Structures are given as structure tokens and as C-alpha cells.
Amino acid sequence: MEVRKVSVVSCELEEELDQNGFRHRGTAIGRMIGAERIGAAVYEADAGVPIWPYHYHYGVEEWLYVLSGAPVLRDAGGRRELGRGDLVCFPSGHLGAHTMEGPGRFIIFSTQKGPPVMSVYPDSDKLSVAPTRWGEEPYDRIMVPRDAGVDYWYGEGDGGRGEKAEVVRQPDSAPSPTVVNVSHWEGSLRGSWLDVSALELKAGQETPYCYEVGREQWMLMLDGTLRVRHPGGQDSAFAGEVLAFPEGLSGAHQLINRGGDPARALVLSTTGLPANVCYPDTGRWLMRNAEGEELPVEPSR
């Protein structure tokens, strides 16, 4: 059994949108690599054309990574050009408002707390509610003007006509989210529902063989080549490829650098507790059931 992976720099973009002034080519890759808790889609955009309306979500956190080109980000603080290796987080709520224009190719990772998921479109003052998860069938999105809101009891029972609901709108502008270029970056960034870190393994280095209960991980190879040991054997991961390590034993993995040059990867992980780590080679566990708590558990003799 080979580990499932996709090259995000060369994969075919099977879906195309060209409607009402919005245009892109893209494809979802989460299901391709066996992911369950993190989703992602690869997009290509044309210069000066937004790929979808300016919007933000409640119940969704997204991270954008630029693969090539010079795409233009419109966020809550304005417009700015991005470059290869740039990484930015769009949190849930109005601080995560965004849309993208080309030219360039980029990947957007996402995780959601739902369903349902609500999206807001400030330019047209609309909102939508999706009662199912992205990628699930049937996927229904109900879109309405925000000022169409009415009191919950309007038209219900014998209470008569209710009052029109007051619409609370978020500020028109806010600080732009931080952009980090990960080409030579070391460290980690923490979101509400996704953590992202840069991993570098020098020649001969390796990570322990392990899996997590409570979290899912993804790895996007940035530079070099790594051997990936997994329950079905070993496979190579090359620059531009993305892999998923699901929660539990099926996501067990070890990363090994057998080359002469350093290898770098971007690692994404869902958050939340408990998140307990098992090391199958030794039978050891690392129990993490509360913030700041790590309890090693040795195998019984």
C-alpha cells in the first residue's frame, strides 16, 4: 500500500468557474489523499479577476499558501500582492474576510466546526448558510439578503406579525492578517483550529515513528526529498507534494532524510484536546489531555 499524495504544483485542475465576473480553475484534494478533518483546494487565477466574491465565514478557518506567480489578496485591510512561499491565515469571522486575484497558483487549506457554516458577503450585504459539510452530497447553500431577517416568531402560532430583526454589521475595515514567507522560515503559527509549522530535516535526520489520537496532520513538501515510513511500507515525498496523516493508526508515519541536502516541509495539524501520541516501535505514549500537560506513559513490562 502506497501513501496517498498529490503534487499541488502539477495536478490537473478539473473544476472551472467563469460566471458574473469571477473566474478560476481549481480542484479539491482532501478526499484524494484520505483526509477527513482538513480540506484543501488548489486554484489558478487570472490577473485582475477575483476567483470568488469577497467574503468571510463563521465556523471555518482557512490558510492560504502561494505556490507560484504574484496573486493579489484583498483582505479586511486592503489589497496587496503576494509571492511564492507566502502563508496567511483567515480566521473565522470578519477579520478573515478575503478574496484572491491572479496571476498565480495557490492552495487554500481549511477546517470547519460544523455544519452548519455561515458565510457573509459584505459587498452585496448577503449571507449564506450551508447545512452540510463541504464536499458532502447533497451540498446545499441558502443565500439571502441580510436585511431580510425577521423575528424568530414572525408568522408562527397565533402571535401575529413579529418585528423585523435588527441586522448587526461588522466594520468595513480591519487590520490585515499577517503574511509570513516560509521559504526560509523556521517556527510555528497557531490558529484557532489549525496549527502550522516549518519542519527541516538535515541529511541523515529522521523523526520518530508515531501517530496521534485526536488530531489529523498534513505535510506539504517545500524542498528536497523525504522517505515516508507508514503502515504499508515506505514511499518518497518530493517537493510540491502534499500528504495526509489521518487520526489513529492508519496515520502512523516517520520522516527520514536519506539525501545529502536538507529537506523542508510545511506541517499542518488540527488542534484541540485530548491529543495523545503513540510510538509503536517502543509502545510508549505521550498523553496530552489538558493545555500544558504532557504525561509520558511507558509500556508495561
Side-chain angles (χ1 to χ4, degrees):
M1 180 182 69
E2 293 183 350
V3 66
R4 297 163 70 178
K5 56 186 181 177
V6 171
S7 173
V8 294
V9 298
S10 62
C11 64
E12 183 177 352
L13 305 181
E14 301 174 345
E15 302 169 8
E16 186 169 351
L17 173 72
D18 189 355
Q19 183 179 352
N20 300 327
F22 304 103
R23 185 165 67 243
H24 70 256
R25 297 161 299 283
T27 191
I29 62 173
R31 299 298 184 188
M32 294 183 190
I33 58 176
E36 297 179 357
R37 299 178 61 181
I38 301 175
V42 181
Y43 295 95
E44 277 188 0
D46 298 324
V49 183
I51 65 173
W52 12 240
Y54 181 64
H55 69 286
Y56 58 89
H57 304 290
Y58 288 109
V60 174
E61 178 175 293
E62 297 179 304
W63 291 74
L64 177 141
Y65 177 78
V66 178
L67 297 165
S68 62
V72 175
L73 166 65
R74 176 188 171 193
D75 58 40
R79 293 165 57 88
R80 50 185 164 162
E81 182 179 295
L82 303 181
R84 182 179 181 273
D86 280 345
L87 175 73
V88 58
C89 175
F90 306 121
S92 173
H94 74 280
L95 296 180
H98 67 284
T99 190
M100 295 292 297
E101 300 175 6
R105 177 180 279 224
F106 44 88
I107 181 171
I108 297 180
F109 302 95
S110 65
T111 189
Q112 65 183 86
K113 302 293 183 182
V117 171
M118 187 173 79
S119 304
V120 179
Y121 303 86
D123 289 350
S124 58
D125 204 27
K126 296 187 179 75
L127 60 82
S128 69
V129 177
T132 57
R133 282 186 175 272
W134 290 344
E136 290 183 353
E137 296 294 342
Y139 181 72
D140 296 320
R141 176 179 291 169
I142 303 165
M143 184 172 290
V144 296
R146 294 188 73 185
D147 60 7
V150 296
D151 182 87
Y152 176 77
W153 295 113
Y154 172 63
E156 302 290 338
D158 59 0
R161 184 181 180 88
E163 296 295 328
K164 192 169 185 177
E166 179 181 357
V167 177
V168 179
R169 293 173 173 82
Q170 281 67 42
D172 291 333
S173 63
S176 292
T178 300
V179 174
V180 174
N181 189 280
V182 303
S183 298
H184 304 287
W185 171 67
E186 295 182 8
S188 61
L189 297 171
R190 185 162 192 177
S192 296
W193 303 324
L194 280 178
D195 287 346
V196 182
S197 60
L199 171 70
E200 179 172 301
L201 292 180
K202 294 181 172 56
Q205 286 188 320
E206 60 185 46
T207 64
Y209 186 57
C210 65
Y211 64 86
E212 288 198 54
V213 176
R215 293 186 181 177
E216 177 175 288
Q217 288 187 334
W218 282 42
M219 182 179 73
L220 170 61
M221 286 294 299
L222 301 177
D223 300 293
T225 303
L226 289 174
R227 291 294 291 173
V228 182
R229 175 189 170 196
H230 53 86
Q234 292 191 16
D235 290 282
S236 294
F238 303 97
E241 292 184 332
V242 63
L243 305 83
F245 305 117
E247 175 185 359
L249 180 59
S250 63
H253 62 281
Q254 180 182 32
L255 307 176
I256 308 164
N257 186 355
R258 292 179 175 170
D261 298 317
R264 301 184 72 252
L266 199 65
V267 179
L268 299 94
S269 173
T270 57
T271 60
L273 294 169
N276 300 318
V277 186
C278 176
Y279 302 88
D281 289 344
T282 63
R284 181 173 174 266
W285 283 81
L286 182 64
M287 312 301 289
R288 299 180 299 183
N289 295 313
E291 191 69 33
E293 175 186 296
E294 292 190 350
L295 177 64
V297 177
E298 300 296 334
S300 57
R301 301 295 181 182

